[in-house]
Amino acid sequence: MNFLESVQMAGKTLLANKLRSALTMLGIVIGNASVIAMIGIGEGGQRYIAKELESLGPNVLFVIPGNQETERISRDTPKTLVLEDATAIATQVPTIADVTAELNSRQVVTVSNKNTDVNIIGTTPSFLTVRDFTTDKGRFFSEVDMKRSNQVVVLGSKLAQRLFANSNPVGQQLRINNTSFRVIGVLVSKGSNLGVDYDDAALIPVITMANRIVGRTSPYGLELTYIVASAKNANSVDAAVFQITNLLRQRHKIIGEDDFTIRTQKDALQTVGQITGALTIMLAAIAGISLFVGGIGIMNIMLVSVTERTQEIGLRKAIGATEQDILLQFMIEAVIVSAIGGLLGTAVGVSGIMIVASLTPLDAGISPVAITTAVGVSGAIGLFFGVVPARRAAKLDPIVALRSA
């Protein structure tokens, strides 16, 4: 028998047992679909997070209180950054274009006797420039508002809708922690950023935040949650990190380890890439187990097939079929089952990725490498697990096979 005849006979044998062949393929289908979908969704998660980080701007730096050691041993954020640090960075670091500061706290906001738990962000007028926000209605608070500790508030778009429905909130009053504030503006919707949903937050002058809402607890000045600075250009980021580090070490009189951490978009992208990459590999490995299970299913069914077709094998060998002919036919059957299962699994996996991409914000994509690898591995699994039953069939003695049938 030539190769083409072996393929034709293998196809006829599989079609003669459609249900068994379909069930044998099922493990490979599930395995391929899982691997392709997990890799596609994992890569989509990486792209989504990278897009979120890029929305901060390539030149943004975050100065955060504490260091890795304090984060490891304590859940409480140390109060090592103050507003004067932000002012010093803005005036003494030549590679910095602008600086803003943030002091965050969750407080109860009251409008018309309706209480809502809201993220209150005390910040500076340069927030719009550094964080790339714009106002949709009204205005943002000014330096005068901050110096006078005016009780004014700017709402995120989602919060404005939640508190005032379809009416214009500008000029209306609300209470934050039982302190009256006047709404002077509403931000343009921008969505969540690094876990902070500014669309559902209220922004007030940072000095007002300290004086009226949370109080001052640091003896060194008005403590901050973090400082955000924007470098003049992408090439200035490393120099800005160096200069800010030296400035804060001098201001804080640090001899040993820093009491602050500076993080850039590049650092965040690398960290996120490592985490999501590891998760993607882990998910793909878990999904790959089903491919292995599918291969065992192929071997099991092929062994059953050898037992059922003992008479056929004995008859074929009696009329001249060689061990190579029998071996080739059974291996071709195993490869056909795994290859078709791989193609069907690819279709299911790609469909799953498209559904996820359409229903979620994840930019899930179809990875040609994942598809090629999954289909190739499924074919190799069929070949590998088909060897044992194929060799068993090829080694059958024709006389014994015909007598035991």
Side-chain angles (χ1 to χ4, degrees):
M1 290 180 66
N2 58 33
F3 179 76
L4 183 59
E5 289 176 333
S6 296
V7 172
Q8 291 175 342
M9 181 169 290
K12 290 178 180 178
T13 302
L14 293 174
L15 289 174
N17 299 278
K18 296 183 180 65
L19 181 59
R20 186 169 67 186
S21 300
L23 292 175
T24 305
M25 292 178 191
L26 187 59
I28 299 296
V29 171
I30 294 173
N32 270 55
S34 301
V35 170
I36 292 170
M38 289 300 99
I39 292 176
I41 293 171
E43 291 179 352
Q46 286 181 311
R47 285 190 289 269
Y48 174 76
I49 296 174
K51 185 178 178 181
E52 287 289 297
L53 291 172
E54 288 172 0
S55 68
L56 299 174
N59 311 331
V60 173
L61 302 87
F62 288 85
V63 186
I64 305 168
N67 50 46
Q68 293 182 352
E69 181 65 18
T70 58
E71 290 178 0
R72 185 180 66 82
I73 64 177
S74 175
R75 293 183 180 180
D76 296 329
T77 303
K79 297 178 174 61
T80 56
L81 293 180
V82 294
L83 185 59
E84 288 74 13
D85 290 329
T87 303
I89 292 172
T91 57
Q92 300 179 37
V93 178
T95 52
I96 290 298
D98 212 342
V99 176
T100 188
E102 293 191 24
L103 174 58
N104 299 352
S105 176
R106 294 203 70 86
Q107 300 290 335
V108 174
V109 172
T110 305
V111 176
S112 301
N113 297 322
K114 181 174 67 175
N115 296 329
T116 306
D117 188 49
V118 175
N119 185 25
I120 309 298
I121 300 173
T123 186
T124 65
S126 55
F127 173 88
L128 292 182
T129 305
V130 177
R131 303 305 298 271
D132 192 26
F133 273 85
T134 55
T135 53
D136 181 36
K137 298 175 183 177
R139 65 176 180 88
F140 204 71
F141 45 82
S142 63
E143 289 287 348
V144 174
D145 291 319
M146 193 170 75
K147 290 178 181 178
R148 294 180 178 177
S149 191
N150 288 341
Q151 294 167 208
V152 292
V153 59
V154 177
L155 304 178
S157 58
K158 189 188 300 182
L159 179 61
Q161 176 68 25
R162 187 150 59 95
L163 295 178
F164 297 98
N166 296 322
S167 61
N168 186 1
V170 176
Q172 299 198 46
Q173 298 288 324
L174 55 77
R175 297 183 69 83
I176 302 175
N177 196 20
N178 291 323
T179 301
S180 179
F181 281 79
R182 178 170 57 90
V183 179
I184 61 171
V186 177
L187 294 176
V188 170
S189 177
K190 196 173 181 180
S192 177
N193 196 297
L194 295 179
V196 180
D197 189 357
Y198 288 95
D199 290 349
D200 198 29
L203 285 73
I204 64 176
V206 66
I207 295 178
T208 307
M209 179 80 160
N211 292 341
R212 307 286 186 179
I213 305 299
V214 297
R216 296 172 182 256
T217 58
S218 171
Y220 304 105
L222 194 162
E223 66 278 2
L224 302 173
T225 304
Y226 47 80
I227 297 170
V228 187
S230 58
K232 289 185 175 179
N233 53 62
N235 296 327
S236 303
V237 172
D238 291 338
V241 171
F242 178 76
Q243 292 168 3
I244 292 172
T245 300
N246 286 340
L247 175 63
L248 293 181
R249 284 182 64 87
Q250 291 177 4
R251 286 184 52 81
H252 297 183
K253 297 180 174 58
I254 295 174
I255 298 176
E257 191 174 2
D258 295 339
D259 62 358
F260 59 89
T261 303
I262 301 177
R263 293 177 180 168
T264 65
Q265 185 198 69
K266 182 180 178 181
D267 297 333
L269 283 172
Q270 288 178 345
T271 302
V272 168
Q274 291 172 353
I275 294 172
T276 55
L279 288 174
T280 300
I281 293 173
M282 182 185 70
L283 291 173
I286 293 172
I289 294 173
S290 58
L291 274 176
F292 182 77
V293 174
I296 294 176
I298 289 176
M299 183 171 64
N300 184 42
I301 296 299
M302 294 300 293
L303 286 171
V304 172
S305 179
V306 170
T307 303
E308 290 181 350
R309 294 159 61 187
T310 300
Q311 185 178 14
E312 174 196 331
I313 294 167
L315 182 60
R316 287 186 61 196
K317 296 190 75 173
I319 61 176
T322 64
E323 288 188 6
Q324 287 74 17
D325 292 331
I326 304 298
L327 180 69
L328 182 62
Q329 182 185 344
F330 276 85
M331 291 189 69
I332 287 174
E333 289 181 20
V335 171
I336 288 176
V337 168
S338 59
I340 294 177
L343 294 174
L344 292 175
T346 299
V348 174
V350 169
S351 300
I353 290 174
M354 294 175 67
I355 292 171
V356 169
S358 63
L359 297 179
T360 70
L362 293 182
D363 185 19
I366 300 169
S367 172
V369 175
I371 292 175
T372 304
T373 302
V375 174
V377 168
S378 63
I381 282 176
L383 185 63
F384 177 78
F385 284 99
V387 168
V388 172
R391 290 190 62 183
R392 179 175 176 178
K395 294 295 183 182
L396 284 176
D397 184 275
I399 297 175
V400 175
L402 289 171
R403 184 177 298 166
S404 60

